[in-house]
Amino acid sequence: MAKMQPARFAAPAGWGWQQAHRPMAPSAVTIGLDVPLPTEPFVLSILAAATAAVWYPLGDSPFPPLRPPQAIMSESELAVIKPEALKTYIWLQCFDGSIQQVEEEVAMFCPMICREIMKNGTGSSKNHAIVLPERVNPASLSLILDYCRFHQVPGRSNKERKSFDEKFVRIDTEKLCKLASAALGLQLRPLVDLTCGALARIIGGKTPDEVRDIFHLPDDLTEEEKLEPLKNINDDPTIRLLNRLYAKKRKELQERQKLKDVQTQEEQKDERSVDELLCFINGDGDSRGGKASKNKKKNKRRKDQAKNPAKANSEPVNKEGASCVVPCKADSGNISRHPCQTPNLQDDIEYPFDNDDLDDGLDPAMREEIDR
Amino acid sequence: MKRAGGPTSAVDRLSALPEELLHVILSFLPAPLVVQTSLLSRRWRRLWRSTPLIKIDEQDFGISTKIRASTLEGRWAKFEDFATNLLLFHDNTSALGGFRLRCQVYNWRHVDRWIRRGIEYCPSVLQIELVGHVPGFKLPPMLESNFRCLKRLRLTHIILNSHFTGSLCSACPVLEDMNLSYCEFCDICPQGIISPKLNKLVMEFCSNNTRYPLVITAPSLTYLCLSFGNFLAGILLCKMDSLVKAKISVPEDEISEENQRELLGSLCNVTSLELIGFEAEVMLNENPDEFRIFHNLRTLGLHSCFLNGYELTDKLEALGSFLQNAPCLEKLSLQYCMFYSFSDSEWEIERKNITLPRHDGKILRCQKLKLIEVIYDHDHDHQLIELVWSLGRSLPDANIKLNKIDRFPP
């Protein structure tokens, strides 16, 4: 059964066959048979020989639905009659022109290759190789094929697969990036997730400087931008409107705060107890009524006081307070950044005082960075 | 910034990756880190704002249910600032890939605000997990405009009122996967889960407090898992024609016996069935016409079933009558069934003589059943041998495989 001849034999009923317009080497052929498996050895040898030709079904679509041979033949028979020469191969061509052949079942693991074979019928010969997208370079391709070769075997345990995956992504970051890109090009989603997860693990837990070092990112942000990364969104006209509104409110608040600063600590305590009383009267969690705005005003002031000492500690925050768009005192500084993307922010505008503590939301992000 | 001795030709491969890949990378990072990437370089400045996945998790801010109230207050303030702004600054407001929230309800208004904002962004995957002591949290109203893209929904510790269940069908036309944990159906009126495209439904530890049976109508459902939960008021499955796999676990006294039988009856199209906690009374059908035939059932798994006080032969008879209605059954798995077992470290078990019954009763008709797998952890009174013997006599064609797996490893 070693040598295959182009067969001259009766086709199974219902299928016509035409030899492709070019003679083909037996190893570069695909099988598209959908017949029940016979058991006599001589018919098996005919089937084996059939790999030397390409079969087309009668009817409109010129290409038969491809299936890896396992689907048609049982495992044991496959083991018996499938020497190396019988393995079907797919031809792949990288963007730089290099062509290589891959076992079919390995290549079919990639959805993009699968689709190419089914829809366009390419890949069956050297001259009709599947052209891979540009981002798939040969080195990544061979890595990907190793991955496919391992994972397409159905009998592996989850543990084996996991340990293979872990070892697989222990490569340097450059190769990892290229591999991720190539996996995306071939639409191999599990590999995309694996490589991106590995990249995320490298990024996580490091300062921006370290990350820039590892990946050679350009350090092209100005010092000011680094401290106020979210300033640019003020270009939105709705933001400007909100800014004006909040500037007014902030002025009012500052006036009140000046008055408050004169008062003693006990005064604040008193206020809090009133607050608690109000909460108690209104009921827990029932803070969405109209009287709630009063509560919020007091909440807001309380929060401001709580934040003031915290802010006094970190110097860069004061610096940023100075350079922010709307100049204001160094306390609850940067209120001006509220993008109003949809009119659904009405509920927030109803309670404007609450939004004042939103401004500090940017600070945690920056404070986190500064804290590091 | 000085670059320490790297080659001048070092190329920034990371930023050259397509945006889609960068978003996948960001999806693996916790939210505060995602925002910090805006400090990396110009390319990364606005990247975090267009990422399709918004994850808000209180654990990223050191908040858990175990910290003291004083630390909680401070950390919650930071967390709230961050979360509110993260949602405000997000760019893609019309079709978010996913919104995930996990936090305690320390401040009801804050959590409600985040959920509303997240829902406004029309997510495809919505996951809300409330932890700790949750004093009854209801979702904001479901509007079709917000849920039109929703494919996967996962709720933990949420109260589902009739508004939710009533609008599930109309508001979520493409919902495929729903997972409810510790949810409660309140509102004293008939409620049901009706969803035309739902493929997978998992309900764990849910409870039905509506005083009416909960009706699940999901014609496209392929996988159903009902795991524990209080359904004393009843739970009914309708139109489960596409159901392929089901896993039902019935804790003691939480679902009435009649209801259990009804449930079993409505699962007759499944290919693979796993039952936990069912008793002999339910399986036994005295009236053969009543019980439906499980035409497609190939794999049956029984876990902790048949544990009440009947004799082994009676239990096997009950099992047999069930198996008779499953003509295509190929594999049966009995895990910790038929007899209570416990580790005998404290108890002195008296060994008794085994009398294996010779006249066994009928042979069960189950031709295709080839494999019976028995998993046990402790064997006393030689009950295991009795079981295996009886199984062997009633199902002579099947192979029996024994496996000792400790349920609670020491």
Side-chain angles (χ1 to χ4, degrees), chain B residues 214-265:
Chain B
L214 184 75
V215 181
I216 301 181
T217 313
S220 318
L221 199 66
T222 53
Y223 175 69
L224 173 68
C225 173
L226 287 178
S227 180
F228 302 105
N230 185 334
F231 291 103
L232 272 176
I235 178 165
L236 296 174
L237 309 172
C238 293
K239 283 203 203 160
M240 295 271 147
D241 304 323
S242 333
L243 199 59
V244 171
K245 197 166 162 202
K247 177 173 168 181
I248 317 269
S249 92
V250 191
E252 280 181 63
D253 301 332
E254 301 271 323
I255 302 187
S256 73
E257 196 184 296
E258 224 181 278
N259 202 186
Q260 290 180 28
R261 262 197 223 112
E262 270 174 332
L263 271 179
L264 270 188

Short mmCIF file of all heavy atoms in Angstrom, two decimals, chain B residues 214-265:
data_model
loop_
_atom_site.label_atom_id
_atom_site.label_comp_id
_atom_site.label_asym_id
_atom_site.label_seq_id
_atom_site.Cartn_x
_atom_site.Cartn_y
_atom_site.Cartn_z
N LEU B 214 -43.37 28.89 39.80
CA LEU B 214 -42.57 29.65 38.85
C LEU B 214 -42.54 28.87 37.54
O LEU B 214 -42.18 27.70 37.51
CB LEU B 214 -41.15 29.80 39.40
CG LEU B 214 -40.19 30.64 38.57
CD1 LEU B 214 -40.54 32.10 38.76
CD2 LEU B 214 -38.77 30.40 39.01
N VAL B 215 -42.89 29.52 36.47
CA VAL B 215 -43.00 28.81 35.19
C VAL B 215 -41.85 29.22 34.29
O VAL B 215 -41.64 30.40 34.05
CB VAL B 215 -44.32 29.17 34.50
CG1 VAL B 215 -44.44 28.42 33.20
CG2 VAL B 215 -45.49 28.86 35.41
N ILE B 216 -41.12 28.27 33.81
CA ILE B 216 -40.01 28.57 32.91
C ILE B 216 -40.38 28.11 31.52
O ILE B 216 -40.58 26.93 31.28
CB ILE B 216 -38.73 27.86 33.37
CG1 ILE B 216 -38.38 28.29 34.78
CG2 ILE B 216 -37.58 28.17 32.43
CD1 ILE B 216 -37.13 27.68 35.30
N THR B 217 -40.48 29.08 30.62
CA THR B 217 -40.83 28.76 29.24
C THR B 217 -39.67 29.21 28.37
O THR B 217 -39.48 30.39 28.15
CB THR B 217 -42.09 29.53 28.82
OG1 THR B 217 -43.05 29.39 29.84
CG2 THR B 217 -42.63 28.98 27.53
N ALA B 218 -38.93 28.29 27.90
CA ALA B 218 -37.77 28.66 27.08
C ALA B 218 -37.61 27.63 25.98
O ALA B 218 -36.89 26.66 26.14
CB ALA B 218 -36.52 28.74 27.94
N PRO B 219 -38.25 27.83 24.87
CA PRO B 219 -38.26 26.81 23.81
C PRO B 219 -36.89 26.49 23.22
O PRO B 219 -36.68 25.41 22.71
CB PRO B 219 -39.19 27.39 22.75
CG PRO B 219 -39.51 28.75 23.16
CD PRO B 219 -39.14 28.96 24.57
N SER B 220 -35.93 27.43 23.31
CA SER B 220 -34.62 27.13 22.73
C SER B 220 -33.62 26.64 23.75
O SER B 220 -32.45 26.51 23.45
CB SER B 220 -34.02 28.38 22.08
OG SER B 220 -34.97 29.08 21.38
N LEU B 221 -34.09 26.36 24.93
CA LEU B 221 -33.14 26.04 26.00
C LEU B 221 -32.45 24.71 25.75
O LEU B 221 -33.10 23.71 25.49
CB LEU B 221 -33.90 25.97 27.33
CG LEU B 221 -33.05 26.09 28.59
CD1 LEU B 221 -32.45 27.46 28.65
CD2 LEU B 221 -33.89 25.83 29.81
N THR B 222 -31.12 24.71 25.82
CA THR B 222 -30.40 23.46 25.65
C THR B 222 -29.78 22.96 26.94
O THR B 222 -29.48 21.79 27.07
CB THR B 222 -29.27 23.59 24.61
OG1 THR B 222 -28.46 24.70 24.98
CG2 THR B 222 -29.80 23.79 23.23
N TYR B 223 -29.56 23.84 27.89
CA TYR B 223 -28.95 23.40 29.13
C TYR B 223 -29.66 24.04 30.30
O TYR B 223 -29.86 25.25 30.33
CB TYR B 223 -27.46 23.78 29.16
CG TYR B 223 -26.79 23.45 30.47
CD1 TYR B 223 -26.58 22.12 30.84
CD2 TYR B 223 -26.38 24.45 31.34
CE1 TYR B 223 -25.99 21.81 32.04
CE2 TYR B 223 -25.78 24.14 32.54
CZ TYR B 223 -25.59 22.82 32.89
OH TYR B 223 -25.01 22.52 34.09
N LEU B 224 -30.06 23.25 31.24
CA LEU B 224 -30.76 23.75 32.41
C LEU B 224 -30.11 23.22 33.67
O LEU B 224 -29.84 22.03 33.77
CB LEU B 224 -32.23 23.30 32.37
CG LEU B 224 -33.05 23.62 33.64
CD1 LEU B 224 -33.23 25.12 33.75
CD2 LEU B 224 -34.39 22.94 33.58
N CYS B 225 -29.86 24.10 34.60
CA CYS B 225 -29.31 23.65 35.87
C CYS B 225 -30.11 24.30 36.98
O CYS B 225 -30.12 25.52 37.12
CB CYS B 225 -27.83 24.05 35.96
SG CYS B 225 -27.11 23.72 37.57
N LEU B 226 -30.77 23.50 37.78
CA LEU B 226 -31.49 24.01 38.92
C LEU B 226 -30.80 23.45 40.14
O LEU B 226 -30.88 22.25 40.42
CB LEU B 226 -32.93 23.53 38.92
CG LEU B 226 -33.87 24.15 37.92
CD1 LEU B 226 -35.22 23.50 38.04
CD2 LEU B 226 -34.00 25.63 38.18
N SER B 227 -30.15 24.31 40.86
CA SER B 227 -29.31 23.79 41.93
C SER B 227 -29.80 24.34 43.25
O SER B 227 -29.72 25.53 43.49
CB SER B 227 -27.88 24.23 41.63
OG SER B 227 -27.03 23.76 42.61
N PHE B 228 -30.34 23.49 44.07
CA PHE B 228 -30.85 23.90 45.37
C PHE B 228 -31.79 25.07 45.23
O PHE B 228 -32.13 25.51 44.16
CB PHE B 228 -29.70 24.24 46.34
CG PHE B 228 -28.77 23.10 46.51
CD1 PHE B 228 -27.53 23.10 45.90
CD2 PHE B 228 -29.14 22.00 47.25
CE1 PHE B 228 -26.68 22.03 46.03
CE2 PHE B 228 -28.29 20.93 47.39
CZ PHE B 228 -27.05 20.94 46.78
N GLY B 229 -32.21 25.61 46.27
CA GLY B 229 -33.17 26.70 46.13
C GLY B 229 -34.50 26.30 46.69
O GLY B 229 -34.83 25.12 46.79
N ASN B 230 -35.25 27.25 47.07
CA ASN B 230 -36.51 27.02 47.74
C ASN B 230 -37.66 27.24 46.78
O ASN B 230 -37.98 28.36 46.42
CB ASN B 230 -36.60 28.00 48.91
CG ASN B 230 -37.84 27.75 49.73
OD1 ASN B 230 -38.82 27.24 49.23
ND2 ASN B 230 -37.77 28.12 50.98
N PHE B 231 -38.24 26.16 46.35
CA PHE B 231 -39.35 26.29 45.42
C PHE B 231 -40.57 25.59 45.97
O PHE B 231 -41.24 24.83 45.26
CB PHE B 231 -38.97 25.68 44.06
CG PHE B 231 -37.93 26.49 43.35
CD1 PHE B 231 -36.61 26.07 43.32
CD2 PHE B 231 -38.25 27.68 42.73
CE1 PHE B 231 -35.64 26.83 42.68
CE2 PHE B 231 -37.29 28.44 42.09
CZ PHE B 231 -35.99 28.01 42.06
N LEU B 232 -40.83 25.83 47.21
CA LEU B 232 -41.99 25.18 47.81
C LEU B 232 -43.27 25.58 47.11
O LEU B 232 -44.23 24.82 47.07
CB LEU B 232 -42.10 25.56 49.30
CG LEU B 232 -41.31 24.62 50.20
CD1 LEU B 232 -41.37 25.10 51.63
CD2 LEU B 232 -41.83 23.21 50.07
N ALA B 233 -43.26 26.76 46.54
CA ALA B 233 -44.44 27.17 45.80
C ALA B 233 -44.50 26.50 44.44
O ALA B 233 -45.47 26.64 43.72
CB ALA B 233 -44.43 28.69 45.64
N GLY B 234 -43.46 25.82 44.08
CA GLY B 234 -43.50 25.06 42.84
C GLY B 234 -42.67 25.69 41.74
O GLY B 234 -42.43 26.88 41.72
N ILE B 235 -42.21 24.83 40.87
CA ILE B 235 -41.49 25.31 39.69
C ILE B 235 -41.87 24.40 38.53
O ILE B 235 -41.87 23.18 38.66
CB ILE B 235 -39.97 25.34 39.93
CG1 ILE B 235 -39.26 25.79 38.66
CG2 ILE B 235 -39.43 24.03 40.40
CD1 ILE B 235 -37.84 26.19 38.90
N LEU B 236 -42.21 25.01 37.42
CA LEU B 236 -42.68 24.23 36.28
C LEU B 236 -41.88 24.55 35.05
O LEU B 236 -41.52 25.69 34.83
CB LEU B 236 -44.15 24.56 35.99
CG LEU B 236 -45.14 24.21 37.07
CD1 LEU B 236 -46.50 24.75 36.68
CD2 LEU B 236 -45.22 22.71 37.24
N LEU B 237 -41.65 23.54 34.25
CA LEU B 237 -40.92 23.76 33.01
C LEU B 237 -41.86 23.51 31.84
O LEU B 237 -42.51 22.47 31.78
CB LEU B 237 -39.74 22.78 32.91
CG LEU B 237 -38.82 22.73 34.11
CD1 LEU B 237 -37.83 21.60 33.95
CD2 LEU B 237 -38.07 24.03 34.25
N CYS B 238 -41.89 24.46 30.94
CA CYS B 238 -42.79 24.30 29.81
C CYS B 238 -42.00 24.31 28.53
O CYS B 238 -41.07 25.07 28.38
CB CYS B 238 -43.78 25.46 29.74
SG CYS B 238 -44.88 25.45 31.12
N LYS B 239 -42.44 23.55 27.60
CA LYS B 239 -41.89 23.60 26.24
C LYS B 239 -40.38 23.39 26.21
O LYS B 239 -39.66 24.14 25.60
CB LYS B 239 -42.15 24.98 25.63
CG LYS B 239 -43.55 25.18 25.15
CD LYS B 239 -43.53 26.27 24.10
CE LYS B 239 -44.89 26.92 23.98
NZ LYS B 239 -44.81 28.21 23.36
N MET B 240 -39.93 22.38 26.87
CA MET B 240 -38.48 22.17 26.89
C MET B 240 -38.09 21.24 25.76
O MET B 240 -37.44 20.22 26.00
CB MET B 240 -38.07 21.56 28.23
CG MET B 240 -38.33 22.48 29.38
SD MET B 240 -36.91 23.48 29.63
CE MET B 240 -37.62 24.97 30.18
N ASP B 241 -38.47 21.57 24.56
CA ASP B 241 -38.25 20.60 23.49
C ASP B 241 -36.80 20.50 23.05
O ASP B 241 -36.36 19.48 22.59
CB ASP B 241 -39.10 21.00 22.27
CG ASP B 241 -40.55 21.09 22.65
OD1 ASP B 241 -40.98 20.26 23.46
OD2 ASP B 241 -41.24 21.98 22.13
N SER B 242 -36.08 21.60 23.19
CA SER B 242 -34.70 21.55 22.69
C SER B 242 -33.71 21.18 23.78
O SER B 242 -32.52 21.17 23.55
CB SER B 242 -34.28 22.92 22.14
OG SER B 242 -35.36 23.62 21.69
N LEU B 243 -34.20 20.87 24.92
CA LEU B 243 -33.28 20.66 26.04
C LEU B 243 -32.40 19.44 25.81
O LEU B 243 -32.90 18.36 25.52
CB LEU B 243 -34.09 20.50 27.32
CG LEU B 243 -33.33 20.72 28.62
CD1 LEU B 243 -32.77 22.11 28.65
CD2 LEU B 243 -34.24 20.50 29.80
N VAL B 244 -31.11 19.65 25.96
CA VAL B 244 -30.20 18.55 25.72
C VAL B 244 -29.61 18.03 27.03
O VAL B 244 -29.43 16.84 27.21
CB VAL B 244 -29.05 19.04 24.80
CG1 VAL B 244 -27.96 18.01 24.72
CG2 VAL B 244 -29.58 19.33 23.43
N LYS B 245 -29.32 18.95 27.91
CA LYS B 245 -28.64 18.52 29.13
C LYS B 245 -29.30 19.20 30.31
O LYS B 245 -29.58 20.39 30.27
CB LYS B 245 -27.19 18.97 29.01
CG LYS B 245 -26.29 18.28 29.96
CD LYS B 245 -24.83 18.52 29.57
CE LYS B 245 -23.99 18.18 30.80
NZ LYS B 245 -22.71 18.77 30.83
N ALA B 246 -29.51 18.45 31.36
CA ALA B 246 -30.14 19.06 32.52
C ALA B 246 -29.50 18.54 33.79
O ALA B 246 -29.08 17.39 33.87
CB ALA B 246 -31.64 18.75 32.54
N LYS B 247 -29.44 19.41 34.76
CA LYS B 247 -28.89 19.02 36.05
C LYS B 247 -29.79 19.60 37.12
O LYS B 247 -29.89 20.81 37.27
CB LYS B 247 -27.48 19.61 36.16
CG LYS B 247 -26.83 19.34 37.48
CD LYS B 247 -25.39 19.81 37.44
CE LYS B 247 -24.82 19.80 38.85
NZ LYS B 247 -23.45 20.27 38.89
N ILE B 248 -30.46 18.74 37.81
CA ILE B 248 -31.43 19.21 38.80
C ILE B 248 -31.00 18.69 40.15
O ILE B 248 -30.80 17.49 40.32
CB ILE B 248 -32.83 18.67 38.49
CG1 ILE B 248 -33.15 18.76 37.02
CG2 ILE B 248 -33.85 19.36 39.35
CD1 ILE B 248 -33.81 20.01 36.60
N SER B 249 -30.90 19.58 41.11
CA SER B 249 -30.57 19.10 42.43
C SER B 249 -31.63 19.55 43.40
O SER B 249 -32.01 20.72 43.43
CB SER B 249 -29.19 19.58 42.83
OG SER B 249 -29.27 20.77 43.52
N VAL B 250 -32.13 18.62 44.16
CA VAL B 250 -33.30 18.84 44.98
C VAL B 250 -32.91 18.68 46.44
O VAL B 250 -32.70 17.57 46.89
CB VAL B 250 -34.36 17.80 44.65
CG1 VAL B 250 -35.65 18.17 45.28
CG2 VAL B 250 -34.55 17.69 43.17
N PRO B 251 -32.81 19.73 47.17
CA PRO B 251 -32.52 19.55 48.59
C PRO B 251 -33.75 19.02 49.30
O PRO B 251 -34.86 19.09 48.77
CB PRO B 251 -32.17 20.96 49.04
CG PRO B 251 -32.91 21.83 48.11
CD PRO B 251 -33.01 21.12 46.81
N GLU B 252 -33.55 18.51 50.48
CA GLU B 252 -34.69 17.93 51.19
C GLU B 252 -35.76 18.94 51.45
O GLU B 252 -35.50 20.03 51.93
CB GLU B 252 -34.22 17.40 52.54
CG GLU B 252 -33.55 16.07 52.43
CD GLU B 252 -33.12 15.60 53.81
OE1 GLU B 252 -34.00 15.39 54.66
OE2 GLU B 252 -31.91 15.48 54.02
N ASP B 253 -36.96 18.59 51.17
CA ASP B 253 -38.12 19.39 51.55
C ASP B 253 -38.19 20.76 50.93
O ASP B 253 -38.90 21.62 51.42
CB ASP B 253 -38.19 19.59 53.08
CG ASP B 253 -38.26 18.26 53.78
OD1 ASP B 253 -38.77 17.30 53.17
OD2 ASP B 253 -37.79 18.17 54.92
N GLU B 254 -37.41 21.00 49.90
CA GLU B 254 -37.52 22.31 49.30
C GLU B 254 -38.38 22.29 48.06
O GLU B 254 -38.80 23.31 47.55
CB GLU B 254 -36.11 22.83 48.95
CG GLU B 254 -35.19 22.92 50.14
CD GLU B 254 -35.28 24.25 50.85
OE1 GLU B 254 -35.45 25.26 50.18
OE2 GLU B 254 -35.19 24.27 52.09
N ILE B 255 -38.55 21.11 47.53
CA ILE B 255 -39.46 20.97 46.39
C ILE B 255 -40.33 19.76 46.68
O ILE B 255 -39.83 18.71 47.06
CB ILE B 255 -38.68 20.74 45.08
CG1 ILE B 255 -37.72 21.89 44.82
CG2 ILE B 255 -39.61 20.60 43.91
CD1 ILE B 255 -37.04 21.82 43.47
N SER B 256 -41.58 19.92 46.50
CA SER B 256 -42.50 18.84 46.87
C SER B 256 -42.31 17.64 45.94
O SER B 256 -41.83 17.76 44.82
CB SER B 256 -43.94 19.33 46.78
OG SER B 256 -44.30 19.46 45.42
N GLU B 257 -42.73 16.52 46.43
CA GLU B 257 -42.53 15.27 45.68
C GLU B 257 -43.25 15.30 44.35
O GLU B 257 -42.74 14.87 43.32
CB GLU B 257 -43.04 14.14 46.54
CG GLU B 257 -42.58 12.78 46.11
CD GLU B 257 -43.23 11.73 46.97
OE1 GLU B 257 -42.94 11.76 48.17
OE2 GLU B 257 -44.02 10.95 46.43
N GLU B 258 -44.45 15.81 44.40
CA GLU B 258 -45.23 15.89 43.16
C GLU B 258 -44.53 16.77 42.15
O GLU B 258 -44.47 16.47 40.95
CB GLU B 258 -46.57 16.52 43.50
CG GLU B 258 -47.74 15.84 42.88
CD GLU B 258 -48.99 16.60 43.28
OE1 GLU B 258 -49.46 16.35 44.40
OE2 GLU B 258 -49.41 17.46 42.49
N ASN B 259 -44.00 17.87 42.66
CA ASN B 259 -43.30 18.79 41.79
C ASN B 259 -42.08 18.12 41.18
O ASN B 259 -41.75 18.34 40.02
CB ASN B 259 -42.90 20.02 42.59
CG ASN B 259 -42.67 21.23 41.71
OD1 ASN B 259 -42.24 22.27 42.16
ND2 ASN B 259 -42.93 21.09 40.44
N GLN B 260 -41.42 17.29 42.01
CA GLN B 260 -40.24 16.60 41.49
C GLN B 260 -40.63 15.69 40.35
O GLN B 260 -39.94 15.61 39.33
CB GLN B 260 -39.59 15.76 42.60
CG GLN B 260 -38.92 16.60 43.67
CD GLN B 260 -38.28 15.74 44.73
OE1 GLN B 260 -37.88 14.60 44.46
NE2 GLN B 260 -38.16 16.26 45.93
N ARG B 261 -41.75 15.02 40.52
CA ARG B 261 -42.18 14.12 39.44
C ARG B 261 -42.51 14.90 38.19
O ARG B 261 -42.21 14.48 37.07
CB ARG B 261 -43.39 13.31 39.88
CG ARG B 261 -43.00 11.95 40.33
CD ARG B 261 -44.15 11.03 40.39
NE ARG B 261 -44.03 10.27 41.62
CZ ARG B 261 -44.84 10.38 42.64
NH1 ARG B 261 -45.86 11.19 42.60
NH2 ARG B 261 -44.61 9.69 43.74
N GLU B 262 -43.16 16.03 38.40
CA GLU B 262 -43.51 16.87 37.24
C GLU B 262 -42.25 17.34 36.53
O GLU B 262 -42.19 17.35 35.30
CB GLU B 262 -44.27 18.10 37.72
CG GLU B 262 -45.76 17.91 37.76
CD GLU B 262 -46.42 19.12 38.38
OE1 GLU B 262 -45.80 19.81 39.21
OE2 GLU B 262 -47.58 19.37 38.03
N LEU B 263 -41.28 17.73 37.33
CA LEU B 263 -40.03 18.19 36.75
C LEU B 263 -39.40 17.11 35.90
O LEU B 263 -39.00 17.32 34.76
CB LEU B 263 -39.04 18.57 37.86
CG LEU B 263 -39.08 20.00 38.38
CD1 LEU B 263 -38.06 20.15 39.48
CD2 LEU B 263 -38.77 20.96 37.27
N LEU B 264 -39.36 15.90 36.48
CA LEU B 264 -38.76 14.80 35.74
C LEU B 264 -39.50 14.56 34.45
O LEU B 264 -38.93 14.31 33.40
CB LEU B 264 -38.80 13.53 36.59
CG LEU B 264 -37.61 13.27 37.49
CD1 LEU B 264 -37.74 11.89 38.09
CD2 LEU B 264 -36.33 13.35 36.68
N GLY B 265 -40.82 14.66 34.56
CA GLY B 265 -41.61 14.41 33.38
C GLY B 265 -41.33 15.40 32.27
O GLY B 265 -41.30 15.04 31.09
#
